């Protein structure tokens, strides 16, 4: 009898631990919802806004980035357009447009899911500014969901740069996001970035938290 009681108690403890883990007692990460936006080279800034033009800061973002006051219009292959798309600074070595899957449908385009910066073979798109326009043969992506972390946060979470994890949103929609990339850099503030489609489907807003469930 005593042996059976020990087995029963052990099972109850293990079940309680498993249930606790399932409820999200892991590493908590705040959410940042990312709307469609554009990164530009300095050459393209000047094509779109005029010779010698410099982006002007509207709001600071993590890692030295900022939302600029400048906006552009993006146009897909079927001449469908989305206006007032925010330009992020500072300028980059390659121009890139990040949209949601819904945006891609509106533009009439097949846009691949990629990590930021991985634009080889991605979708073509045109960008129109107040002083000119550019056409990109590649450069439009749907951003892969990812978590920005400092090295200290990565160590605490038990992950490293390039890892792929799953996270759980413990709200009324009870969503689990798979294929979440870990990005680690000294300049990063802890935050998971999802686009507006993902946020709306899971009923998540900027500032909500999710839990890593590796």
């Amino acid at each position: 009898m005593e042996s059976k009681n020990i087995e029963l108690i052990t099972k109850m403890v293990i079940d309680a631990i498993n249930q606790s883990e399932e409820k999200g007692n892991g590493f908590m990460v705040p959410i940042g919802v990312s709307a469609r936006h554009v990164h530009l080279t300095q050459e393209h800034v000047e094509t779109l806004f005029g010779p010698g033009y410099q982006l002007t800061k509207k709001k600071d973002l993590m890692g030295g980035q900022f939302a600029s006051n400048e906006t552009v219009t993006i146009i897909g292959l079927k001449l469908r357009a989305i206006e007032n798309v925010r330009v992020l600074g500072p300028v980059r070595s390659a121009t890139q447009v990040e949209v949601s899957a819904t945006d891609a449908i509106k533009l009439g385009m097949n846009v691949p899911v990629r990590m930021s910066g991985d634009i080889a073979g991605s979708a073509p798109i045109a960008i129109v500014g107040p002083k000119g326009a550019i056409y990109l043969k590649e450069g439009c992506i749907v951003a892969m969901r990812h978590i920005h972390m400092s090295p200290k946060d990565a160590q605490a979470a038990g992950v490293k740069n390039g890892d792929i994890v799953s996270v759980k949103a413990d709200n009324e929609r009870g969503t689990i996001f798979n294929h979440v990339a870990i990005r680690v850099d000294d300049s990063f503030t802890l935050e998971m970035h999802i686009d507006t489609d993902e946020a709306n489907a899971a009923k998540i807003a900027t500032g909500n938290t999710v839990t890593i469930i590796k």
Side-chain angles (χ1 to χ4, degrees), residues 27-35 62 143-150 153 164-169 175-183 188-196 198-199 202 204-213:
F27 192 82
M28 304 294 292
V29 181
I31 286 286
V33 180
S34 181
M62 74 168 63
M144 181 178 180
R145 58 182 77 107
H146 56 278
I147 299 174
H148 289 281
M149 287 183 164
S150 67
D153 287 326
I164 303 296
V165 299
S166 295
V167 304
K168 182 179 181 180
T175 306
I176 292 178
F177 293 100
N178 296 317
H179 309 299
V180 181
I182 299 294
R183 304 186 68 181
F188 288 163
T189 301
L190 181 64
E191 194 169 64
M192 176 175 169
H193 286 174
I194 57 176
D195 66 28
T196 50
E198 295 167 318
I204 295 175
T206 293
N208 293 163
T209 57
V210 292
T211 306
I212 295 178
I213 50 170

Side-chain angles (χ1 to χ4, degrees), residues 76-98:
L77 295 178
K78 296 182 179 180
L79 299 182
R80 299 176 185 173
I82 298 177
E83 300 179 336
N84 299 316
V85 180
R86 184 73 55 189
V87 177
L88 301 191
V91 294
R92 289 193 175 187
S93 59
T95 292
Q96 174 179 295
V97 179
E98 296 183 34

Side-chain angles (χ1 to χ4, degrees), residues 18-198:
N18 289 337
Q19 289 174 8
S20 177
E21 289 177 346
E22 288 172 359
K23 289 179 181 178
N25 289 336
F27 192 82
M28 304 294 292
V29 181
I31 286 286
V33 180
S34 181
R36 66 182 79 98
H37 60 271
V38 175
H39 300 279
L40 297 171
T41 64
Q42 181 58 34
E43 178 186 357
H44 286 162
V45 167
E46 296 188 34
T47 299
L48 296 172
F49 296 97
Y53 194 90
Q54 300 291 318
L55 295 176
T56 59
K57 186 181 296 185
K58 177 181 176 70
K59 179 183 177 182
D60 283 315
L61 303 174
M62 74 168 63
Q65 294 192 88
F66 61 88
S68 77
N69 291 297
E70 289 71 31
T71 61
V72 295
T73 297
I74 57 175
I75 304 175
L77 295 178
K78 296 182 179 180
L79 299 182
R80 299 176 185 173
I82 298 177
E83 300 179 336
N84 299 316
V85 180
R86 184 73 55 189
V87 177
L88 301 191
V91 294
R92 289 193 175 187
S93 59
T95 292
Q96 174 179 295
V97 179
E98 296 183 34
V99 298
S100 70
T102 297
D103 292 334
I105 293 171
K106 182 175 181 179
L107 292 167
M109 295 168 53
N110 182 19
V111 180
V113 176
R114 298 281 186 85
M115 286 297 296
S116 180
D118 180 13
I119 59 173
S122 59
I125 196 160
I127 306 174
V128 180
K131 299 293 185 179
I134 58 175
Y135 173 73
L136 304 177
K137 292 182 179 179
E138 57 187 17
C140 185
I141 65 170
V142 173
M144 181 178 180
R145 58 182 77 107
H146 56 278
I147 299 174
H148 289 281
M149 287 183 164
S150 67
K152 182 179 179 180
D153 287 326
Q155 184 177 12
V159 296
K160 63 183 184 301
N161 188 58
D163 281 354
I164 303 296
V165 299
S166 295
V167 304
K168 182 179 181 180
D170 239 343
N171 60 9
E172 59 192 298
R173 300 303 293 268
T175 306
I176 292 178
F177 293 100
N178 296 317
H179 309 299
V180 181
I182 299 294
R183 304 186 68 181
V184 181
D185 190 89
D186 287 324
S187 67
F188 288 163
T189 301
L190 181 64
E191 194 169 64
M192 176 175 169
H193 286 174
I194 57 176
D195 66 28
T196 50
D197 281 356
E198 295 167 318

